């Protein structure tokens, strides 16, 4: 029985990976379940057995990415055992690393929002829980720090938008940025490593807690 369960999990993993590649490359409209099944090494009927519809598969991919991102950010910023400065630093770094490991994700989400606005609600609902938890707790702590003169008074919502904007831009605009920096760096990964450090310092400078 355990062997059958592992086989089913392996099959599901292959389908999800193939679906992620297909959706990210072609978008929802251009993705084909037949192509996903072929890439995953399963029959079309088996793919539908596991996920029923293209919509179900799309929702699973997007919700898993949102949940992973939420867990990563919350595990850093929500760690009450660390000083606020270190938690913000780790939150920015882990968010940046997540985007770096999923470089097609920002463009995919923006394209889906622009071309299929009906997906906005599904994405928003997926992010709502961790965003509300993060912002509520973070704002309270920033207020407490600011009252003691330990940091600037800032809006946690604006801070989160700053973090996302700074971290996503180098990946969304990679061709433009790479063309602009020319031969200033050995390769784009070197630039990204430096960009991550700059983003951390920019956010900490906004808070003035470093």
């Amino acid at each position: 029985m355990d062997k059958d369960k592992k086989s089913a999990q392996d099959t599901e993993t292959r389908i999800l990976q193939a679906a992620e590649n297909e959706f990210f490359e072609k978008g929802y409209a251009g993705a084909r379940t037949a192509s996903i099944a072929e890439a995953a090494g399963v029959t079309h009927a088996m793919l539908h057995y596991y996920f029923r519809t293209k919509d179900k598969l799309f929702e699973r991919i997007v919700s898993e990415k949102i949940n992973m991102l939420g867990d990563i950010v919350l595990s850093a910023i929500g760690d009450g055992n660390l000083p606020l400065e270190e938690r913000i630093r780790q939150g920015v770094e882990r968010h940046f690393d997540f985007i770096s490991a999923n470089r097609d994700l920002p463009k995919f989400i923006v394209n889906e929002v622009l071309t299929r606005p009906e997906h906005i609600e599904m994405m928003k609902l997926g992010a709502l829980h961790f965003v509300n938890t993060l912002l509520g707790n973070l704002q309270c702590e920033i207020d407490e720090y600011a009252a003691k003169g330990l940091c600037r008074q800032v809006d946690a919502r604006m801070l989160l938008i700053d973090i996302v904007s700074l971290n996503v831009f180098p990946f969304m605009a990679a061709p433009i940025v790479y063309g602009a920096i020319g031969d200033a760096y050995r390769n784009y990964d070197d630039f990204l490593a430096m960009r991550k450090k700059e983003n951390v310092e920019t956010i900490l400078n906004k808070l003035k807690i470093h």
Side-chain angles (χ1 to χ4, degrees):
M1 197 67 175
D2 288 342
K3 184 177 180 181
D4 291 341
K5 184 177 180 181
K6 185 178 186 305
S7 177
Q9 289 174 339
D10 289 343
T11 300
E12 183 175 297
T13 298
R14 293 202 314 274
I15 293 172
L16 287 171
Q17 186 58 61
E20 180 179 317
N21 294 338
E22 181 81 359
F23 283 128
F24 284 9
E25 180 182 350
K26 302 175 183 177
Y28 177 88
R32 296 289 179 265
T33 53
S35 299
I36 294 170
E38 182 179 358
V42 301
T43 65
H44 200 230
M46 185 175 289
L47 182 146
H48 282 284
Y49 169 78
Y50 276 88
F51 293 100
R52 304 301 179 192
T53 67
K54 179 178 169 181
D55 277 343
K56 295 289 186 185
L57 193 49
F58 176 84
E59 290 173 8
R60 174 71 177 271
I61 295 294
V62 173
S63 64
E64 285 196 353
K65 291 298 182 183
I66 291 173
N67 288 338
M68 286 173 59
L69 177 57
D71 289 344
I72 287 169
V73 175
L74 282 175
S75 68
I77 298 181
D79 185 355
N81 295 318
L82 295 174
L84 182 59
E85 175 185 353
E86 183 58 27
R87 283 151 53 196
I88 295 294
R89 180 185 300 278
Q90 289 190 20
V92 175
E93 289 177 343
R94 291 182 191 181
H95 178 262
F96 191 98
D97 290 342
F98 176 84
I99 300 300
S100 184
N102 297 271
R103 298 188 183 189
D104 293 327
L105 182 61
K107 182 171 68 174
F108 166 74
I109 290 178
V110 170
N111 286 341
E112 289 304 310
V113 167
L114 292 175
T115 60
R116 298 183 67 85
E118 65 270 23
H119 285 158
I120 296 176
E121 193 64 24
M122 184 267 289
M123 294 180 185
K124 185 172 71 174
L125 287 174
L128 199 59
H129 172 69
F130 92 81
V131 168
N132 285 342
T133 300
L134 175 66
L135 290 180
N137 295 339
L138 184 59
Q139 188 65 67
C140 287
E141 191 154 11
I142 289 173
D143 292 345
E144 290 177 4
Y145 267 63
K148 297 175 183 177
L150 299 176
C151 76
R152 285 180 56 197
Q153 179 66 57
V154 300
D155 188 321
R157 295 168 297 181
M158 293 299 103
L159 186 68
L160 181 61
I161 291 173
D162 288 340
I163 292 171
V164 172
S165 301
L166 285 168
N167 281 349
V168 166
F169 179 78
F171 302 98
M172 283 290 293
I176 298 172
V177 175
Y178 189 73
I181 63 176
D183 298 325
Y185 304 91
R186 288 180 301 172
N187 56 59
Y188 202 64
D189 285 339
D190 287 342
F191 164 76
L192 290 175
M194 182 170 288
R195 191 66 240 164
K196 180 167 74 170
K197 293 179 181 178
E198 289 291 327
N199 290 354
V200 169
E201 293 308 311
T202 297
I203 294 301
L204 293 181
N205 279 332
K206 179 184 176 84
L207 282 166
K208 291 187 176 179
I209 58 173
H210 75 298

